Amino acid sequence: MNPQSQPSTPSYTINCRMTHEAAALERLCQVVRIRGFRIATMAVETAGEHLDIALTLEGTRPIAMLQSQLEKLHTVAEVALAAGSVARRSEERRV
């Protein structure tokens, strides 16, 4: 399989704040994976009793569906899609 021949996958950036609790990050990653997204990058910072997480995700499913599922996790306080985070396929294909 040649990765260059595959169509580009949209990329999204999500910022998430969640309670610092055992297995909280594992649950977040599991929801991302089950909903059909791949984590390209993840940055985590501790802010008191919370974790501030910046995720760059790749996937073809609707990002609003993932955002809704993440908000249902009891440890998640906030989920925000970064403005302009959707990579446009037509711009990536220009040579």
Side-chain angles (χ1 to χ4, degrees):
M1 192 180 271
N2 184 354
Q4 293 176 350
S5 65
Q6 295 176 350
S8 63
T9 304
S11 178
Y12 307 92
T13 301
I14 286 185
N15 296 308
C16 180
R17 173 170 272 211
M18 62 191 319
T19 305
H20 194 331
E21 184 178 297
L25 277 175
E26 288 87 345
R27 283 191 297 275
L28 180 119
C29 292
Q30 182 181 28
V31 169
V32 169
R33 180 183 51 82
I34 289 171
R35 296 297 169 202
F37 290 86
R38 185 181 79 80
I39 298 173
T41 64
M42 175 193 258
V44 181
E45 292 184 23
T46 302
E49 295 182 11
H50 291 91
L51 296 174
D52 288 329
I53 305 160
L55 294 164
T56 301
L57 307 171
E58 295 174 347
T60 56
R61 291 186 167 178
I63 193 66
M65 179 254 325
L66 175 63
Q67 185 174 1
S68 172
Q69 292 299 311
L70 291 175
E71 289 170 345
K72 292 178 183 179
L73 292 173
H74 74 277
T75 54
V76 172
E78 180 183 353
V79 178
L81 181 64
S85 68
V86 179
R88 300 178 190 263
R89 292 182 189 181
S90 60
E91 290 177 5
E92 292 175 355
R93 290 184 183 166
R94 291 183 188 164
V95 178

